Amino acid sequence: MAEKQSGRGFFKLVSIRKLAYRSWDESKKMWSIAGPAILTTVLQFSLGFVTIVFVGHLGEVELAAVSVVHSVVEGFAFGILLGMGSALETLCGQAVGAGQFEMLGIYMQRSWIITGVTALLLTPVYIFTSPILKLLHQTDQMSEVAGRYCIWVIPQLFAYAVNFPIQKFFQSQSRVWVMAVISGAALAFHVLLNWVLVTKLGHGLAGAAIAGNISWWVVIVAQIIYLVSGYFPQAWTGFSFMAFQSLGAFVKLSLSSAIMLCLELWYYTIVILLVGLLKNPEIAVDAISICMNLQLWTLMIALGFNAAVSVRVSNELGAGHPKAAKFSVAVAVSTSALIGILFMAVVLITRSDFPKLFTDKPVVISETSKLGYLLAATILLNSIQPVLSGVAVGAGWQSLVAFINIGCYYLFGVPIGAILGYKFKLGTMGIWSGMLVGTLTQTIILLFISFRTNWEKEALRAEERIRTWGGPSETQQASQG
């Protein structure tokens, strides 16, 4: 009996060691992508973060206007273009896993065509921002200032259209450190430009817009130089007319990705719009915008894991390794959740101090500090949810998740927030609390789906997808082109 127990204990120890080794090995693979991806997303998001910090010292109206533009208008465009470009995560990731590199450049060019046209269609939103915000019952003064600023930053809209496809192209091949270096250099340059144009020369909002436009296009030009410099001999063979083929089917997948991601990214934008309808909206919008900008900064870290798990899942499914894909999901969710707990603790500890980074107005600092608990809870949930969305993109579940998002966010979270905020007179706290309920519901559903999925079937679907999108006919033409 003692020998049997000893034997069981030995095998249990061996199993634990194997699990630990597998977890460590997967963590290294995950962090090799997530680390530079996190750095890239944080650095690129920080371009807007720096702009708001400089503008925040121009005045309350300017801060509210730029915050609304950044969170509502640019968030709207950012979500659509990121989503349209995210079709590449599924296609390129699974093609890399299957060893079919020839179509990656063609996929990226198709995505550029789609995102470029999308940016053109979004331009009127930037031009007519002022009347749109007034229609949404935002104050006239803030809407006028936001409208002027939005027209000035139209060049950034087209920078997003180029940026997202090329990023997905790099990420699918785990070439992410170059993006991080480029983004870091651009951020340092952006801080200097804002100091010169906004603070030193006193050009105000116009200076902030010019600085943002220049900095974003520095990022784009640097990435294109790296692309055409010969580092992708198989995946990039130059521009091709094949990019104009199969656009209809490509648009369909891009739209599914866009709808899924937009429904997520716009969710908290609605908080700002609903808060703008409360009494004393400038103070309330300033407070909620500060929290949302900080929450978005931490969300960029979760989006790094989103990119990493998308690459890992798509690569493993494309290679026909369903168990490895499932294990990647478990490691990514656990790691990102631990980081979320850490950030939640930091926010709770510093809730009376972090508002001072954005404003020196005592009333805004006080109002923002009151929202610290809700901000901490949001950060925790948003450390897990984007990772699950990355799993969905890697596996090609965009349409399913889009329906889940509609139900949890817009048929559940938004109405509850509106009822708590207006009917029960809970204001900003009520609106935000309702939205949190929607996020919690969606996260629980995605967790259930991710860990109950038949990954063997998903590997077979990936194989079929590769045949459909990058079969012999297309890859042969690409290699000959």
Side-chain angles (χ1 to χ4, degrees):
M1 190 71 177
E3 288 181 3
K4 282 186 178 180
Q5 288 180 343
S6 176
R8 287 174 187 161
F10 172 76
F11 285 116
K12 191 173 182 180
L13 182 61
V14 170
S15 297
I16 291 172
R17 284 180 176 175
K18 281 185 178 179
L19 180 61
Y21 175 78
R22 281 190 68 198
S23 299
W24 174 248
D25 185 56
E26 178 59 35
S27 291
K28 286 193 294 183
K29 292 177 182 177
M30 189 72 65
W31 276 105
S32 69
I33 304 168
I38 289 169
L39 197 55
T40 301
T41 50
V42 169
L43 290 169
Q44 290 191 357
F45 173 75
S46 295
L47 294 173
F49 183 85
V50 166
T51 299
I52 288 175
V53 168
F54 275 92
V55 168
H57 295 282
L58 295 176
E60 288 179 17
V61 174
E62 287 84 354
L63 174 60
V66 173
S67 295
V68 166
V69 169
H70 187 63
S71 300
V72 178
V73 183
E74 289 188 310
F76 175 80
F78 186 97
I80 291 178
L81 291 169
L82 175 60
M84 297 296 278
S86 290
L88 288 182
E89 289 190 63
T90 304
L91 297 174
C92 287
Q94 293 184 0
V96 168
Q100 295 189 11
F101 290 89
E102 297 87 352
M103 287 302 298
L104 300 186
I106 304 298
Y107 290 158
M108 180 173 63
Q109 290 172 61
R110 285 177 186 164
S111 190
W112 271 338
I113 293 168
I114 292 168
T115 55
V117 171
T118 303
L120 198 60
L121 294 174
L122 287 170
T123 302
V125 176
Y126 277 61
I127 295 172
F128 298 106
T129 290
S130 182
I132 289 171
L133 289 177
K134 289 177 182 176
L135 195 64
L136 295 171
H137 301 288
Q138 305 300 301
T139 62
D140 287 351
Q141 187 180 14
M142 184 177 68
S143 297
E144 292 291 342
V145 174
R148 288 198 303 273
Y149 180 78
C150 222
I151 291 172
W152 295 334
V153 296
I154 287 176
Q156 292 179 43
L157 172 65
F158 289 90
Y160 297 156
V162 180
N163 182 58
F164 296 131
I166 199 170
Q167 276 198 341
K168 305 308 176 188
F169 176 88
F170 290 161
Q171 283 175 3
S172 67
Q173 299 168 83
S174 301
R175 300 289 188 90
V176 279
W177 274 113
V178 171
M179 291 192 300
V181 171
I182 290 171
S183 300
L187 178 61
F189 179 62
H190 185 61
V191 172
L192 179 62
L193 268 182
N194 270 281
W195 179 76
V196 171
L197 295 174
V198 179
T199 305
K200 203 71 178 172
L201 298 181
H203 290 309
L205 288 183
I210 292 169
N213 294 340
I214 293 173
S215 298
W216 264 106
W217 277 99
V218 165
V219 171
I220 301 306
V221 171
Q223 288 182 155
I224 290 176
I225 290 172
Y226 177 63
L227 172 70
V228 301
S229 295
Y231 291 100
F232 303 93
Q234 287 182 283
W236 176 258
T237 55
F239 293 98
S240 170
F241 283 108
M242 281 187 64
F244 293 93
Q245 298 176 13
S246 304
L247 276 177
F250 207 95
V251 167
K252 185 177 179 181
L253 184 61
S254 297
L255 282 173
S256 296
S257 299
I259 291 169
M260 186 197 85
L261 288 176
C262 288
L263 290 172
E264 294 174 3
L265 292 174
W266 296 342
Y267 188 48
Y268 284 95
T269 298
I270 294 175
V271 175
I272 295 177
L273 293 176
L274 291 176
V275 168
L277 303 177
L278 297 171
K279 293 180 180 179
N280 195 9
E282 278 82 7
I283 301 300
V285 168
D286 281 352
I288 200 82
S289 296
I290 288 171
C291 288
M292 286 301 152
N293 276 291
L294 195 58
Q295 180 261 328
L296 284 172
W297 186 85
T298 60
L299 179 62
M300 295 303 110
I301 295 175
L303 288 178
F305 280 96
N306 170 290
V309 76
S310 175
V311 171
R312 291 291 301 127
V313 168
S314 60
N315 284 177
E316 295 295 356
L317 290 178
H321 301 148
K323 290 182 180 178
K326 183 177 181 179
F327 193 71
S328 295
V329 174
V331 172
V333 171
S334 302
T335 306
S336 187
L338 287 173
I339 293 173
I341 290 170
L342 175 63
F343 276 114
M344 179 180 70
V346 170
V347 168
L348 290 174
I349 292 168
T350 64
R351 66 183 183 279
S352 299
D353 300 310
F354 73 77
K356 297 173 185 176
L357 289 171
F358 300 87
T359 182
D360 49 12
K361 306 293 188 299
V363 63
V364 178
I365 292 172
S366 174
E367 193 67 24
T368 306
S369 297
K370 294 176 185 176
L371 300 174
Y373 294 104
L374 288 174
L375 175 61
T378 301
I379 286 173
L380 177 60
L381 281 178
N382 282 346
S383 67
I384 300 170
Q385 187 275 333
V387 179
L388 298 173
S389 293
V391 175
V393 171
W397 302 338
Q398 289 94 325
S399 297
L400 171 64
V401 177
F403 283 111
I404 292 171
N405 288 351
I406 290 171
C408 294
Y409 290 165
Y410 298 94
L411 301 180
F412 192 54
V414 171
I416 290 176
I419 290 169
L420 291 176
Y422 300 115
K423 183 72 174 177
F424 290 93
K425 310 292 186 185
L426 296 178
T428 304
M429 300 284 284
I431 293 170
W432 198 343
S433 296
M435 309 293 262
L436 269 177
V437 172
T439 304
L440 178 62
T441 305
Q442 187 250 24
T443 302
I444 291 171
I445 292 172
L446 288 184
L447 277 170
F448 179 80
I449 291 173
S450 296
F451 289 103
R452 294 284 295 177
T453 291
N454 186 326
W455 290 96
E456 285 75 14
K457 285 186 179 179
E458 294 303 323
L460 292 174
R461 286 175 184 166
E463 185 181 341
E464 177 63 28
R465 190 177 290 116
I466 291 166
R467 280 200 301 268
T468 302
W469 287 92
S473 61
E474 278 202 299
T475 53
Q476 189 176 17
Q477 289 178 54
S479 60
Q480 290 173 355

